[in-house]
Amino acid sequence: MKSILWVLFAILLFSSQPCSDASALHWITRLGHTSCDNHPVAQTHVPGLIQRSEQKDVDAPLQFEVERPFASHSSLTLVVCNGEVHVLPNPHPDQLRVEVHLGASLRHELTPKRFLQEFVVGQKDADVEWKLPAGSLPVFNIYVPEQTALDMQLGKTNLLVKGVRGNKAVSAGKGTVRLDVSDGDSEYHSIVDDVAMGSYTDLRIQGNPSNQNPFHQELVGRGDATAHLQMAMGRIEIAKEN
């Protein structure tokens, strides 16, 4: 019954988006190259984890850390099946840093890396895909150059994006998507919000949540960046950046 409801939510979301040709069932069970099945990765694609002597990667039972060169004005594809996700500007210029902290151990003494499907970092783009199970209570801190375009496909997650400029595309299954903006009118040309089942709140004006389902809204400004936020079941929030 639960899986049927998930499919219905996704169908509702994508049926309200005439430009999308995504299969609802495919979107729920598979994100990017990653199957959200809670199993360790059978075949990984992580050429970006080949270390140089000066790089100090960490892959411990409850912690994963890696940092690689990543130019400003690049694009990041991020896939996360479960967890808390924070995307923030990296204080170190031209670097991509990925930190994962687990609140509970994985079975069979596995480490987080066994659930890393993709880690590919090129000159102008990167693809990072995680399938850690929800029971491990993962928290992802992703640090990118301030000017980075983001394409995020999320399962059951709570997302915060703060301090990162550039275009953003977010598709989430269940949870919360929060985008903090410094000045939406001057930063963005448009912010499109779509919620199939849940609520939308613009915290900048202390407005009451809109519980209209499905919900669709486009905010138009004078900037150059665009943002498209999609939520199947949950909440979208726009807030003023502190």
Side-chain angles (χ1 to χ4, degrees):
M1 180 63 182
K2 185 176 180 180
S3 61
I4 294 174
L5 290 174
W6 270 93
V7 172
L8 291 175
F9 294 142
I11 290 173
L12 182 59
L13 174 64
F14 286 112
S15 65
S16 67
Q17 304 303 311
C19 62
S20 173
D21 60 358
S23 160
L25 180 60
H26 176 83
W27 183 76
I28 290 299
T29 60
R30 187 174 180 86
L31 303 173
H33 303 96
T34 302
S35 295
C36 295
D37 56 10
N38 294 325
H39 297 307
V41 174
Q43 185 174 1
T44 63
H45 186 220
V46 291
L49 291 186
I50 299 174
Q51 293 189 57
R52 300 174 184 173
S53 59
E54 69 274 12
Q55 294 168 335
K56 307 298 182 183
D57 297 351
V58 176
D59 185 34
L62 297 176
Q63 184 179 7
F64 177 93
E65 295 181 5
V66 63
E67 191 166 44
R68 291 293 185 272
F70 190 57
S72 182
H73 296 280
S74 297
S75 61
L76 170 66
T77 297
L78 178 65
V79 170
V80 176
C81 292
N82 302 287
E84 299 279 335
V85 183
H86 312 133
V87 183
L88 305 166
N90 195 336
H92 303 138
D94 295 329
Q95 295 286 317
L96 167 65
R97 182 173 182 83
V98 178
E99 297 180 356
V100 183
H101 303 277
L102 304 186
S105 298
L106 297 162
R107 57 188 177 86
H108 305 309
E109 300 181 352
L110 296 174
T111 62
K113 185 179 175 181
R114 287 296 310 279
F115 295 83
L116 178 58
Q117 180 71 58
E118 295 274 330
F119 192 88
V120 182
V121 182
Q123 291 186 342
K124 298 297 293 183
D125 53 36
D127 184 3
V128 180
E129 305 191 17
W130 287 95
K131 56 180 298 187
L132 281 158
S136 65
L137 306 176
V139 177
F140 301 85
N141 295 320
I142 312 296
Y143 297 95
V144 298
E146 182 179 3
Q147 293 288 343
T148 299
L150 302 174
D151 181 0
M152 292 176 279
Q153 300 179 47
L154 310 174
K156 300 177 184 178
T157 60
N158 293 316
L159 169 69
L160 169 64
V161 179
K162 181 177 181 179
V164 179
R165 318 302 172 205
N167 296 335
K168 300 170 182 69
V170 180
S171 296
K174 184 177 182 180
T176 302
V177 168
R178 173 167 167 156
L179 174 63
D180 283 16
V181 298
S182 58
D183 184 345
D185 288 340
S186 62
E187 184 179 352
Y188 287 93
H189 176 71
S190 71
I191 301 176
V192 178
D193 304 293
D194 289 293
V195 181
M197 181 169 286
S199 65
Y200 166 85
T201 307
D202 190 338
L203 299 173
R204 298 172 299 171
I205 57 175
Q206 297 181 341
N208 295 322
S210 172
N211 296 306
Q212 173 188 341
N213 296 140
F215 175 87
H216 172 80
Q217 176 176 270
E218 180 175 7
L219 304 173
V220 179
R222 305 183 305 276
D224 297 324
T226 62
H228 190 182
L229 314 178
Q230 299 181 85
M231 172 63 70
M233 182 182 179
R235 184 170 70 251
I236 291 178
E237 297 177 346
I238 306 295
K240 184 173 178 57
E241 187 178 304
N242 295 326

